[in-house]
Amino acid sequence: MEVKLKQLSKRYGGKQALEEVTLTWEEGIQGLLGPNGAGKTTLMRLLATLLAPTSGSAEIDGVPLADKGRIRELVGYLPQEFSFYPGMRVAEAMDYLALLSGVKGAAERKRRIDALLEEVNLTAHRKAKVRALSGGMKRRLGIAQAMIHEPKLLIVDEPTAGLDPEERIRFRQLLARFAEGRVVLLSTHVVEDVESSCREVTVLKGGSVPFQGNTQDLAERARGRVWQAEMDKKEWAAAGSRYKVVSAVAAGSSMQVRLLAEERPFPDAVASEPTMEDGYLCLVGKGGGAAL
Ligand SMILES: Nc1ncnc2c1ncn2[C@@H]1O[C@H](COP(=O)(O)OP(=O)(O)OP(=O)(O)O)[C@@H](O)[C@H]1O
């Protein structure tokens, strides 16, 4: 199972949202990271056949994107804004969506719905009306509906938004199990989700892909550029306008600041081990600073 993109492009009027993206994703959970407006939603909607590319092509498990009918059977999608029929009960809504996704046979649908509701911890709410679910529960229902037809490519956009820490861990485990023999594309702003779930990550920026590969290799992009220093609040404010500050923690009257800089920014700054987030920030820039 592979997903292959070849010079895939999307233009909205005068706006080039995705520019000649060529890459291959193999089985497993693939992280997709990028700042606002990078083109992530556009890419996901193209793969879910909700948008047509301006040029270029893609194949999912050998099936060309242009073959919409077969592609829809192969792809499951949880969009960021996911809404459901509020008056339906949870199990009914799942059954309806399973039917729409082409899952044949009432007994087979029931088997899959029971298993998935258990996996997303909604069994006790199967008779609840969708409108009565909390935000996190609706998110879990969205995850379950995207998996109901056992797609070869599962695309999930910010799936852990609104989940509590326990549910977030549970969800990561569910994705890990589901990813066997499949590609799961996990788009998120939560770098921690990528760090804990993915071996590989794709970074989108301005419609192009400046990095695709191992999360460890992304961290390495920041080696020698991550510094830690203790400073007072005035120095901290000044540092923020010159450097990319990754984090700042108050320690009494002073601050423990972690920042990115090409060279040692202060005489007493100490070089720090880079994380994937540091590598990502070096590539895309953050706040006041440009990319390093
Ligand atoms: N329907 C549209 N018409 C015109 N421009 C659009 C349209 N949809 C998206 N864009 C533009 O295309 C670019 C990519 O948008 P996209 O929504 O794919 O980014 P994103 O990475 O998903 O952003 P976010 O993280 O904010 O959701 C942006 O500049 C956006 O303004």
Side-chain angles (χ1 to χ4, degrees):
M1 165 57 187
E2 273 181 352
V3 177
K4 286 186 175 194
L5 314 187
K6 207 169 158 204
Q7 295 184 303
L8 194 65
S9 298
K10 178 68 190 178
R11 174 179 279 276
Y12 300 102
K15 173 78 200 172
Q16 190 76 42
L18 209 62
E19 195 160 9
E20 302 209 343
V21 172
T22 298
L23 55 80
T24 300
W25 288 313
E26 287 170 1
E27 283 170 18
I29 308 181
Q30 300 283 346
L32 180 63
L33 282 175
N36 291 136
K40 303 179 298 294
T41 308
T42 301
L43 176 56
M44 290 183 274
R45 289 176 61 83
L46 285 172
L47 293 172
T49 74
L50 299 173
L51 274 179
T54 309
S55 59
S57 58
E59 271 182 17
I60 297 168
D61 205 18
V63 177
L65 203 56
D67 190 347
K68 277 195 191 179
R70 283 173 69 203
I71 288 290
R72 282 188 182 165
E73 285 173 14
L74 291 174
V75 178
Y77 180 38
L78 172 65
Q80 208 168 350
E81 297 294 332
F82 172 71
S83 56
F84 243 54
Y85 307 95
M88 270 193 183
R89 296 185 193 279
V90 167
E92 276 169 11
M94 284 290 288
D95 191 57
Y96 179 62
L97 288 162
L99 256 176
L100 286 185
S101 301
V103 184
K104 294 197 178 79
E108 176 60 14
R109 285 198 299 279
K110 182 168 183 316
R111 187 190 67 76
R112 290 192 195 186
I113 291 165
D114 288 352
L116 271 174
L117 290 182
E118 191 62 33
E119 291 260 37
V120 300
N121 206 12
L122 282 178
T123 303
H125 301 274
R126 60 179 300 132
K127 289 188 177 151
K129 290 253 171 86
V130 171
R131 71 160 67 88
L133 299 180
S134 71
M137 288 176 189
K138 277 187 194 141
R139 207 70 203 138
R140 277 143 53 194
L141 185 56
I143 293 159
Q145 67 77 31
M147 290 178 167
I148 191 75
H149 58 300
E150 298 176 348
K152 286 278 192 182
L153 168 63
L154 176 68
I155 302 168
V156 284
D157 191 2
E158 296 288 352
T160 60
L163 298 192
D164 63 35
E166 220 175 308
E167 285 300 340
R168 193 171 276 224
I169 292 167
R170 204 180 156 103
F171 173 70
R172 284 184 197 143
Q173 287 167 349
L174 170 61
L175 271 198
R177 284 195 298 277
F178 193 80
E180 235 170 87
R182 300 185 166 93
V183 174
V184 174
L185 184 61
L186 171 66
S187 174
T188 179
H189 290 107
V190 184
V191 178
E192 190 203 332
D193 276 348
V194 175
E195 272 171 335
S196 58
S197 306
C198 310
R199 246 188 327 181
E200 292 216 328
V201 62
T202 300
V203 178
L204 257 181
K205 183 190 176 188
S208 302
V209 175
F211 179 89
Q212 188 209 357
N214 205 288
T215 52
Q216 197 50 45
D217 292 341
L218 181 51
E220 286 302 320
R221 294 282 176 112
R223 185 160 299 282
R225 296 162 162 182
V226 190
W227 306 92
Q228 238 159 340
E230 195 172 322
M231 56 187 79
D232 64 30
K233 289 188 175 154
K234 224 168 126 192
E235 289 167 324
W236 169 44
S241 58
R242 280 196 67 190
Y243 304 105
K244 278 192 259 296
V245 172
V246 181
S247 66
V249 179
S253 60
S254 63
M255 305 292 293
Q256 268 297 339
V257 178
R258 183 181 174 89
L259 54 79
L260 304 177
E262 285 289 2
E263 288 172 358
R264 189 182 298 274
F266 317 103
D268 58 350
V270 178
S272 190
E273 193 60 20
T275 64
M276 198 195 82
E277 181 170 33
D278 298 327
Y280 170 69
L281 292 174
C282 279
L283 270 183
V284 304
K286 186 200 180 199
L292 289 177

